[in-house]
Amino acid sequence: MGAASAPLIELRGISKHFGSGDTRVDALRGVSIAIEPATVVGLLGPSGSGKSTLLNVIGCITEPSEGWMKLDGEVVYDGRWLRRNLPRLRLEKIGFIFQFHNLLPFLTAVENVAAVLDLAGERRAAALARAEELLDYLQVGRRKHAKPAKLSGGEAQRVAIARALANRPRIVLADEPTAALDSERAGIVMDLLRKVAIERQTAIVVVTHDEKIYGRLDRIYRLRDGVMQAVEERAPAAP
Amino acid sequence: MNYALRDIRHNLGRFAMTCVGLSLLLGVVQSMVGIYRGLVEEALVVARAPAADLWVVEAGTQGPFAEASRIPGDAREAIARIEAIAAAGSLTFQSTEADRGGTRLRLYVVGFERGRPGEPEELVAGRPIVRSHFELIVDRRAGLALGEQIRIGRNAFTVVGLVAGHSASGGDPVAYMTLLDAQRLQFELEPSAARVQAARGAPRTQTDTVNAVVARLMPGEDAADVAAVIARWKHLAAMPQSAQENLLTYSLVDRARRQIGLFTVTLLAVSGVIIALVIYTMTMDKLREIATLKLIGAPNRVIVGLILQQTLAMGIAGWAIGRVIVAFAADLFPRRVALLPADTAGLLVIVVILCLAASAISVRVALRVDPATALGG
Ligand SMILES: Nc1ncnc2c1ncn2[C@@H]1O[C@H](COP(=O)(O)OP(=O)(O)OP(=O)(O)O)[C@@H](O)[C@H]1O
Ligand SMILES: [Mg+2]
């Protein structure tokens, strides 16, 4: 493995518990993973196994209880956060895709995508141009001036993916991105994510219960009771 | 990109309704202040009209407005002879009911000496009083027309001139007549027993009494000094114009001021609570969007800005619409509503402070929103 394929996401012995005493829940126990660029990995496991918690830890939303974490070449956690401004860290490194699209209802599709760039301090015109380009890339360009309420589920999810990609993150995290879509649209969205992963050298982590999309994953992590049970390498067909 | 503005435009109808509701409330606040200012102005008009430097009244009283004052009519001549005095005029004041073709009309009658301080100036219509009897100059709010005749006491008076903005502290329009007419009116309105005694030729209390003498000073003279001189005379007391005005503002309308002040403060508190509630519901409705903004990396200042800008937009829009409503409604009030620019500006400052305070809870809630809640699932 060369420098180019050094892991974008690297976790060592990450644990997370909520509460203490009788109410203590160990959501993650000593999880270690490494995910290289141009990979789409799936995070599987029964309900309550810690999938969302793991995703939130990688997304720098939930602080781990212990462990070490490196994102895109930067050690961000080592027993404590090494960066004070976590929103900024998210803005720079990570794109999020939600189960329900979670677009801002008061902005149009293109503005939703541009918002991320706007927050990162990019000029408005440049932000809008890049947002339009992304929407075209995801084949929803013609809906760019529609408000989210006017978009179909598949369109909204593609706008959300465009938003996740807007700041050129090397890490994209998706929590059940296809749960609200039928299998055909779920397939289209997953193919898009694979295309993004390969073309933009991105590491994409997808939490899913959806067996129909297993065929489109490069690797599957199985969690149970916060413990990483198995890692399964796969060779998906090219999108 | 301004998120506050975009969100307002997205829910424009609801935002507009809220602003209109708030503007009615803030309109009432502005009217209350206007009514108070109107009260003070109305109370001062009669005292300011003679453009006097000095008020001479009965000794031991704070007349003629705050307390009854009676002084002999010849006091004016004696006062006018003081070297420091440039001019002096006798005045009477009394409330009366006039008869206007069968309907009653409350008037505040001021008797003055023609050509002397106290004569109404700056007529808006008609002419000054030229005859010594039965002519009247009234405030136009009495609704009388030039040439119209009304009955006051036993005599019919003709309206020859109109003034604007002259009303007594009780709100009654002022009617000016000659001192002689006014003195006769005071006599007529005395208890009938006294009049019968007088008709029998019994020695009567002097008819030539007035309520006050107003005086203007020679240039360079000090009102307080001259007042001290006059106070040495038996039966007379004197106070400078400023003291008379203070007396009117602080003693006569003080209770009204506290009443209205308390009411205004209550209304402002209600406005504050309503703003806080509205902003709180607006924020609660947006928790998901706020979580999303945080998740995609919006710093706290963007979130706080969103809430504060919307609160301020609402408060300032409410204030402005309220101001416009009051401007149109002011003339519908039976008494004067005085809208001073300083009060309007002051209220704006209060509204801004109120908005900032009212959004405190919402800002706290918004800052505590966990970005993870946006992920769902
Ligand atoms: N904020 C929290 N406070 C307390 N316990 C929590 C919190 N978040 C998660 N947990 C607990 O941690 C464990 C793992 O939760 P997590 O949401 O990661 O599960 P999941 O695998 O995503 O489940 P699902 O498939 O239902 O979404 C669960 O037992 C959950 O109750
Ligand atoms: Mg979950």
Side-chain angles (χ1 to χ4, degrees):
Chain A
M1 265 194 245
S5 58
L8 282 174
I9 303 172
E10 206 178 341
L11 274 64
R12 289 185 200 157
I14 288 286
S15 295
K16 173 67 187 176
H17 63 261
F18 295 103
S20 59
D22 285 350
T23 59
R24 176 172 167 130
V25 179
D26 282 291
L28 295 175
R29 307 172 203 236
V31 172
S32 299
I33 54 175
I35 303 168
E36 301 76 31
T39 336
V40 181
V41 307
L43 209 50
L44 274 57
S47 185
S49 58
K51 304 182 297 292
S52 297
T53 306
L54 181 54
L55 204 70
N56 291 350
V57 165
I58 300 172
C60 303
I61 297 166
T62 298
E63 178 165 10
S65 306
E66 57 182 294
W68 180 93
M69 178 164 72
K70 186 174 180 180
L71 298 178
D72 194 9
E74 179 181 344
V75 180
V76 295
Y77 185 87
D78 189 4
R80 62 184 175 89
W81 290 121
L82 299 180
R83 272 244 216 153
R84 273 190 67 233
N85 193 345
L86 293 176
R88 189 77 211 174
L89 180 71
R90 290 199 287 270
L91 205 50
E92 286 169 8
K93 295 194 188 298
I94 304 164
F96 293 92
I97 301 168
F98 312 94
Q99 171 173 0
F100 306 103
H101 57 72
N102 266 29
L103 297 171
L104 296 171
F106 46 86
L107 299 181
T108 62
V110 68
E111 287 168 342
N112 259 286
V113 179
V116 177
L117 299 163
D118 181 61
L119 289 171
E122 207 150 316
R123 281 187 311 108
R124 184 179 162 80
L128 285 173
R130 168 147 176 81
E132 287 190 21
E133 180 195 316
L134 271 169
L135 289 177
D136 286 337
Y137 176 66
L138 295 169
Q139 292 147 27
V140 276
R142 61 195 172 79
R143 303 290 284 141
K144 64 185 174 197
H145 293 309
K147 292 262 180 77
K150 296 268 156 61
L151 298 172
S152 74
E155 285 170 342
Q157 197 57 296
R158 275 180 282 166
V159 174
I161 293 172
R163 178 174 68 184
L165 301 178
N167 56 344
R168 299 183 178 82
R170 309 250 356 243
I171 298 166
V172 173
L173 306 176
D175 201 345
E176 314 231 20
T178 58
L181 304 178
D182 62 35
S183 59
E184 190 189 346
R185 282 177 210 292
I188 295 174
V189 164
M190 285 311 295
D191 282 342
L192 267 173
L193 287 180
R194 281 194 54 71
K195 186 169 128 171
V196 168
I198 292 161
E199 291 181 7
R200 300 178 183 228
Q201 292 294 301
T202 309
I204 301 184
V205 184
V206 179
V207 168
T208 187
H209 281 116
D210 189 355
E211 295 188 17
K212 297 184 298 287
I213 66 169
Y214 290 2
R216 290 172 163 95
L217 301 171
D218 293 302
R219 185 185 305 150
I220 291 176
Y221 290 103
R222 288 188 192 272
L223 268 178
R224 176 176 289 272
D225 293 335
V227 180
M228 193 60 78
Q229 296 276 301
V231 185
E232 194 180 316
E233 297 293 338
R234 308 173 66 96
Chain B
M1 227 176 311
N2 187 308
Y3 302 101
L5 198 66
R6 306 307 304 268
D7 187 43
I8 288 174
R9 266 164 54 182
H10 187 63
N11 292 309
L12 194 58
R14 172 177 150 174
F15 186 80
M17 286 297 290
T18 313
C19 285
V20 169
L22 188 61
S23 72
L24 293 177
L25 205 55
L26 292 178
V28 175
V29 171
Q30 297 184 54
S31 336
M32 290 317 295
V33 177
I35 287 168
Y36 165 66
R37 295 292 184 197
L39 272 183
V40 174
E41 277 190 14
E42 281 185 340
L44 289 178
V45 160
V46 180
R48 278 179 179 163
D53 297 314
L54 206 61
W55 288 76
V56 182
V57 296
E58 184 178 341
T61 77
Q62 302 215 300
F65 306 110
E67 287 180 286
S69 150
R70 281 181 158 238
I71 56 179
D74 55 18
R76 191 260 298 157
E77 276 170 48
I79 290 160
R81 277 197 295 270
I82 298 175
E83 235 171 90
I85 303 256
S90 298
L91 290 174
T92 65
F93 302 92
Q94 74 195 104
S95 284
T96 180
E97 281 202 354
D99 180 2
R100 182 195 189 191
T103 55
R104 284 159 170 277
L105 178 66
R106 280 198 63 82
L107 292 173
Y108 188 72
V109 171
V110 177
F112 70 95
E113 295 182 283
R114 277 181 295 148
R116 297 188 182 280
E119 176 163 18
E121 284 155 19
E122 292 171 17
L123 305 187
V124 293
R127 57 162 174 85
I129 290 177
V130 291
R131 291 169 48 201
S132 48
H133 286 298
F134 311 134
E135 288 189 343
L136 211 55
I137 292 174
V138 294
D139 186 77
R140 62 176 172 191
R141 281 181 85 152
L144 297 171
L146 287 179
E148 195 170 341
Q149 288 215 334
I150 56 168
R151 184 162 282 280
I152 304 176
R154 289 193 207 141
N155 300 304
F157 285 78
T158 307
V159 177
V160 299
L162 296 178
V163 286
H166 287 223
S167 49
S169 64
D172 295 335
V174 172
Y176 292 94
M177 60 176 67
T178 61
L179 188 68
L180 285 174
D181 284 348
Q183 284 175 324
R184 185 183 333 205
L185 191 62
Q186 282 194 336
F187 170 63
E188 278 172 11
L189 296 178
E190 270 179 15
S192 53
R195 286 206 309 272
V196 170
Q197 291 295 327
R200 282 187 187 152
R204 234 174 53 81
T205 46
Q206 205 176 356
T207 49
D208 185 21
T209 60
V210 300
N211 299 124
V213 171
V214 288
R216 290 181 197 145
L217 300 179
M218 296 296 236
E221 297 290 348
D222 182 59
D225 292 348
V226 183
V229 171
I230 294 173
R232 269 185 244 126
W233 297 1
K234 230 177 163 187
H235 309 308
L236 294 185
M239 67 178 107
Q241 175 71 18
S242 56
Q244 181 67 265
E245 289 189 15
N246 278 342
L247 198 61
L248 277 167
T249 347
Y250 291 103
S251 71
L252 232 52
V253 296
D254 184 55
R255 216 173 277 141
R257 180 196 10 215
R258 278 185 307 195
Q259 173 108 342
I260 291 175
L262 199 59
F263 191 57
T264 308
V265 169
T266 311
L267 279 174
L268 282 173
V270 171
S271 310
V273 170
I274 288 181
I275 295 175
L277 274 176
V278 168
I279 282 304
Y280 188 70
T281 20
M282 274 167 70
T283 308
M284 293 312 273
D285 285 352
K286 269 201 294 284
L287 285 187
R288 201 175 151 87
E289 285 86 332
I290 289 171
T292 306
L293 275 169
K294 283 187 162 184
L295 188 72
I296 62 176
N300 281 342
R301 89 188 129 71
V302 170
I303 314 285
V304 175
L306 175 72
I307 294 170
L308 284 189
Q309 285 168 26
Q310 290 192 345
T311 320
L312 287 175
M314 189 170 69
I316 292 171
W319 165 85
I321 303 171
R323 179 67 181 77
V324 172
I325 293 175
V326 173
F328 282 108
D331 286 341
L332 302 177
F333 285 84
R335 292 190 60 179
R336 191 206 305 244
V337 179
L339 303 165
L340 310 184
D343 290 341
T344 310
L347 183 66
L348 178 61
V349 173
I350 291 175
V351 165
V352 167
I353 293 171
L354 216 53
C355 284
L356 295 181
S359 45
I361 302 171
S362 303
V363 166
R364 250 172 81 93
V365 170
L367 288 183
R368 286 193 175 176
V369 169
D370 182 358
T373 55
L375 280 168

